[in-house]
Amino acid sequence: MTVPGRRRPTNVLANAPFRRLWTAMSVCSLGDWLNILALTALAGNLTRGDDYRVQSLAVGGVFIAKMLPAVLLGPLAGAFADRFDRRLTMFASDLARFAVVLSIPIIGSYQWIIVATLLVECVNLFWVPAKDATVPNLVPKDQLEAANRLNLLVTYGSAPVAALLFAALSVAGDTLRSLVPSLSGLDPTSVALALNALAYLVSAFLIFTLRDIPKRDGAISTPSVLKQVVEGWRFVGGDRLVRGLIIGMLGAFAAGGAVVGVAKIYVIALGGGDAAYGVVFGAVFVGMALGMFFGLRLLSELSRRRLFGLAITVAGLVLVAIALIHNLAIVVMLTVVLGACAGIAWIIGYTLIGLEVQDAMRGRTFSFLQSTARVTLLLVVAVANPLAALFGEHRFDAGELSYRFDGSNLVLLLGGALAVVVGFLALRHMDDRKGVPLSDDLIAAVRGERFRPEGGEDMPGLFIAFEGGEGSGKTTQSRMIAIWLRDQGYDVVQTREPGSTKVGMRLRAILLDAAERGLSPRAEALMYAADRSEHVEKVIRPALRRGAIVVCDRYVDSSLAYQGAGRALAPEDVAKVNSWATGGLLPHLTVLIDTPPSIGLTRLGGAADRIESEPLEFHERVRKEFRALAAANPERYLVVDGTLTPEQITRAIQDRVHEILPDPVPQEAEDATGTMPAIRD
Ligand SMILES: Nc1ncnc2c1ncn2[C@@H]1O[C@H](COP(=O)(O)OP(=O)(O)O)[C@@H](O)[C@H]1O
Ligand SMILES: Cc1cn([C@H]2C[C@H](O)[C@@H](COP(=O)(O)OP(=O)(O)O)O2)c(=O)[nH]c1=O
């Protein structure tokens, strides 16, 4: 869908001042990731001979020192940073970070690692808001989103580069030391830290020469993260799709945080050194890149929403395997798979927010996600190592075999279990293919069969079907609902099956002709499906595409009940033919008016048609099947007692339909009328 009046932004990097700032950010990001790797590795190495618990706590301490200043002093520093010249703030911060980071390998004690980390993070509290406030000064409004996306890209995109660089430094260091013994003091962590310091120096230079930054204009507002989270949830938590997306993405983040948090001690326990640590760390990100590019292409036929939940669930299972298998080579391979799943989930989440979340909510959803992702990551990383330390190290011996299970294994296991649960929740919240088994969908997707997006996925309209036996009151009720909806200003298309198209009318004549006795059940099923296919193509889809509400008397369920249960055809066959005929289009809501045939049939006037003249027992089977279909998918059905009065039934249907109604007034119209003075009589 294109939004009228929105210009396509040209490349934001063509803007020279922004490009310079962005380069500075990229260099700093790379340095920051190197810093995390080097410091956690150094903490692990400094305590290598010590007890498992001491090691876990040492690594955990680095993470906590990294997070603590932002949590305690974040909003305070933001307000303070407001008072200074932004360019000078960033420049001075860069120089300070350069000096502190450089001092770490020179002093080389664990205590200093912690103190230095705290110092650097305090300085960051000034650098980051100054940078954030500068971006809108350098970039026109309509390019701001593109700029933010680029920022996000380097923030996470530089991680695999840093990880691979770190691994390469370790391998190069090992080789060099074995060749030139006099270099034995050279440590890869020191080189990484020196590079990190250098990155800050480069950034200082770039910022100093960036003359376009205004001294100060307008306040930099850094609302408290907690406030952002609470307010954001109030706003976005009411939407089912957004809720599913957020639960999924945060779960993925938490699981990822568990891996990052315990990776170092986990690798030490497997007997790996710094290079192995870098490789495991990098494997996550390499996998992510692979998932984003190839995973999506490979499974492009699967429903995006389903793939999202599935990817998170599989990531959880892989994480459980990583926790239990103690072999470095296998773990690295599994980590790539883990990253791939995370990559798929992440990119789908982002795309879905971009595509399916309403315009008015999108910005808030993104910012909510960013603030909660930070809090989640922070909590998980901070808790992971102390938890691992608390659990300690255990060994299980069974004769010859000895199995080791330690705190990092436990944390990974918990992270995996969490991801599995969250994946399931996301699947349940967002499933757009209810009634189609996931395995069938998946097999079809792997074979490359076309997946047809259905009703809600790419069409703005709403599709409501009415089902029930003969004389149950469908015609009466669908008319009442259509009138009620039109009264509220909706574009409503009221239609029925069979016989709402030219071809359909001729099919209907054959199907309901009481004289037509010899029609075979399969031919009957195919003719209903043919009528339906024509109906979907010519009437229902066009209406949904333009955003109308379609109220349809009978749909696929009638075939499942009458031809499937009534005529005793295999239900899977009837379902398959109908899914093909309709391109998988399902109603958003099906209203089943449940009336005993003994009552419904007596309500009918006139001569009985071919189907109405079937025996009572046939109609009982039909009723049973309708009820079974509704019971299997309670979220997509409303079952009303057809023996109530018509008014009572109408009210029950209105209550339910009300919950899923879109806003009748287009957003743009509302914005315009919002500025008009109110006229009162
Ligand atoms: N809740 C109800 N109670 C009693 N009679 C009803 C009720 N709803 C509809 N009727 C009557 O039953 C007959 C069949 O209703 P209709 O809406 O045409 O059913 P369907 O479309 O399901 O065959 C009509 O004469 C209608 O007035
Ligand atoms: C749509 C559909 C209808 N039918 C039958 C049920 C009805 O007896 C008949 C539709 O006739 P119709 O006169 O529309 O009946 P009603 O008012 O009860 O909806 O066709 C099927 O057997 N399979 C289907 O897929």
Side-chain angles (χ1 to χ4, degrees):
M1 224 178 22
T2 50
V3 180
R6 182 183 283 181
R7 252 188 307 138
R8 250 191 181 293
T10 47
N11 184 5
V12 58
L13 281 181
N15 175 340
F18 175 73
R19 192 170 57 235
R20 187 171 276 261
L21 181 67
W22 184 75
T23 311
M25 279 184 320
S26 311
V27 173
C28 286
S29 256
L30 186 72
D32 288 341
W33 284 109
L34 268 179
N35 178 280
I36 293 185
L37 280 159
L39 289 187
T40 46
L42 194 58
N45 295 347
L46 283 174
T47 50
R48 198 175 255 278
D50 289 331
D51 181 38
Y52 178 80
R53 281 161 216 252
V54 176
Q55 264 187 347
S56 307
L57 286 178
V59 176
V62 175
F63 282 117
I64 293 176
K66 277 207 157 304
M67 309 275 179
L68 215 53
V71 178
L72 295 183
L73 307 171
L76 203 76
F80 202 55
D82 230 6
R83 297 166 190 273
F84 302 117
D85 178 312
R86 285 180 201 150
R87 188 168 64 99
L88 277 184
T89 305
M90 282 191 270
F91 175 68
S93 304
D94 274 334
L95 288 185
R97 297 197 289 188
F98 164 74
V100 176
V101 170
L102 203 60
S103 73
I104 298 174
I106 296 173
I107 296 180
S109 77
Y110 181 73
Q111 285 79 353
W112 184 246
I113 291 182
I114 298 297
V115 174
T117 302
L118 286 171
L119 284 176
V120 169
E121 289 307 316
C122 285
V123 173
N124 280 350
L125 293 180
F126 293 87
W127 195 87
V128 174
K131 180 261 296 173
D132 282 346
T134 302
V135 175
N137 293 141
L138 302 182
V139 175
K141 235 190 175 136
D142 61 346
Q143 291 192 344
L144 211 52
E145 206 183 313
N148 285 335
R149 226 172 306 138
L150 271 179
N151 293 352
L152 213 65
L153 178 79
V154 287
T155 309
Y156 296 102
S158 51
V161 182
L164 294 181
L165 189 63
F166 186 69
L169 281 177
S170 310
V171 174
D174 287 345
T175 326
L176 211 63
R177 261 171 302 182
S178 62
L179 292 179
V180 192
S182 62
L183 284 177
S184 63
L186 189 72
D187 188 25
T189 55
S190 311
V191 181
L193 287 171
L195 281 179
N196 175 207
L198 191 67
Y200 293 138
L201 201 60
V202 171
S203 166
F205 170 77
L206 286 170
I207 300 285
F208 190 73
T209 49
L210 186 60
R211 298 274 165 192
D212 308 65
I213 303 179
K215 281 198 166 14
R216 262 189 299 144
D217 72 336
I220 305 174
S221 71
T222 7
S224 118
V225 177
L226 198 66
K227 200 166 149 203
Q228 266 178 329
V229 171
V230 173
E231 284 187 353
W233 183 252
R234 226 175 264 151
F235 191 76
V236 300
D239 186 288
R240 203 174 169 78
L241 168 69
V242 178
R243 211 162 50 214
L245 276 174
I246 294 212
I247 293 174
M249 290 177 88
L250 291 186
F253 245 88
V259 178
V260 171
V262 297
K264 177 63 188 169
I265 44 168
Y266 177 74
V267 170
I268 292 184
L270 290 186
D274 286 342
Y277 178 42
V279 169
V280 170
F281 204 91
V284 177
F285 293 97
V286 169
M288 271 177 112
L290 290 177
M292 287 182 189
F293 290 109
F294 298 108
L296 275 183
R297 223 159 281 172
L298 210 71
L299 293 169
S300 60
E301 307 296 346
L302 190 66
S303 147
R304 279 214 207 90
R305 295 174 175 210
R306 283 196 151 182
L307 187 52
F308 178 73
L310 192 69
I312 295 173
T313 312
V314 174
L317 294 176
V318 172
L319 202 50
V320 170
I322 292 179
L324 299 179
I325 297 172
H326 302 326
N327 175 305
L328 199 55
I330 297 180
V331 162
V332 169
M333 281 187 268
L334 285 176
T335 310
V336 174
V337 179
L338 176 77
C341 292
I344 290 177
W346 185 251
I347 195 138
I348 293 183
Y350 246 71
T351 326
L352 282 182
I353 295 180
L355 284 180
E356 291 193 25
V357 175
Q358 306 156 19
D359 237 5
M361 240 161 87
R362 197 174 308 134
R364 292 251 206 149
T365 307
F366 273 125
S367 64
F368 174 75
L369 197 65
Q370 265 163 36
S371 45
T372 33
R374 247 180 45 209
V375 175
T376 312
L377 202 62
L378 202 136
L379 281 178
V380 172
V381 171
V383 167
N385 280 298
L387 185 69
L390 202 67
F391 184 75
E393 189 182 356
H394 301 273
R395 227 167 236 298
F396 305 96
D397 294 304
E400 297 270 291
L401 296 172
S402 160
Y403 186 77
R404 177 196 145 93
F405 192 83
D406 62 32
S408 64
N409 301 132
L410 179 75
V411 169
L412 292 175
L413 200 63
L414 291 177
L418 176 78
V420 171
V421 171
V422 157
F424 267 121
L425 281 180
L427 258 176
R428 267 201 39 202
H429 269 266
M430 298 164 49
D431 197 0
D432 54 354
R433 306 263 296 158
K434 292 241 165 74
V436 183
L438 182 61
S439 52
D440 289 4
D441 240 14
L442 198 61
I443 292 168
V446 171
R447 285 197 198 134
E449 283 172 15
R450 183 110 212 103
F451 164 73
R452 297 272 179 170
E454 61 185 71
E457 204 171 45
D458 57 350
M459 294 182 286
L462 187 68
F463 182 12
I464 305 172
F466 281 75
E467 298 281 8
E470 316 295 326
S472 55
K474 300 179 300 299
T475 313
T476 311
Q477 294 302 335
S478 53
R479 190 177 303 140
M480 297 307 295
I481 290 302
I483 293 172
W484 174 68
L485 288 170
R486 281 194 189 109
D487 275 351
Q488 297 179 64
Y490 290 102
D491 174 5
V492 181
V493 173
Q494 195 199 345
T495 180
R496 66 158 183 184
E497 289 187 2
S500 285
T501 57
K502 256 192 188 162
V503 173
M505 276 189 255
R506 296 164 80 170
L507 288 169
R508 179 183 172 92
I510 303 173
L511 282 165
L512 299 185
D513 183 358
E516 189 76 59
R517 279 279 156 199
L519 193 59
S520 76
R522 290 188 187 201
E524 182 183 293
L526 286 170
M527 281 162 83
Y528 276 115
D531 168 72
R532 183 162 298 129
S533 182
E534 192 69 1
H535 190 209
V536 166
E537 190 68 24
K538 302 267 165 67
V539 180
I540 302 180
R541 268 191 207 277
L544 291 176
R545 243 176 240 135
R546 71 162 194 265
I549 302 184
V550 174
V551 176
C552 184
D553 197 337
R554 294 197 185 276
Y555 191 61
V556 176
D557 286 7
S558 279
S559 280
L560 293 173
Y562 283 87
Q563 280 65 53
R567 299 278 185 235
L569 290 175
E572 313 87 66
D573 291 344
V574 180
K576 214 180 280 169
V577 165
N578 273 282
S579 158
W580 184 70
T582 59
L585 181 74
L586 288 178
H588 295 97
L589 174 70
T590 299
V591 177
L592 171 59
I593 308 182
D594 182 39
T595 316
S598 52
I599 298 180
L601 288 168
T602 57
R603 286 183 188 163
L604 299 174
D609 64 30
R610 204 173 58 85
I611 300 228
E612 283 164 8
S613 44
E614 289 294 333
L616 188 64
E617 181 236 344
F618 173 94
H619 294 284
E620 291 289 3
R621 280 206 302 278
V622 168
R623 180 189 184 201
K624 204 167 144 210
E625 180 64 16
F626 273 133
R627 290 162 61 115
L629 287 168
N633 266 310
E635 290 171 2
R636 221 163 47 74
Y637 282 82
L638 168 70
V639 183
V640 240
D641 179 355
T643 61
L644 297 173
T645 67
E647 294 72 30
Q648 286 173 314
I649 298 177
T650 308
R651 205 157 320 119
I653 301 173
Q654 285 172 345
D655 284 348
R656 177 62 192 270
V657 169
H658 192 77
E659 291 173 11
I660 54 170
L661 279 181
D663 193 346
V665 188
Q667 188 66 42
E668 302 87 74
E670 214 166 53
D671 289 347
T673 48
T675 58
M676 291 179 193
I679 300 169
R680 298 211 171 84
D681 51 18

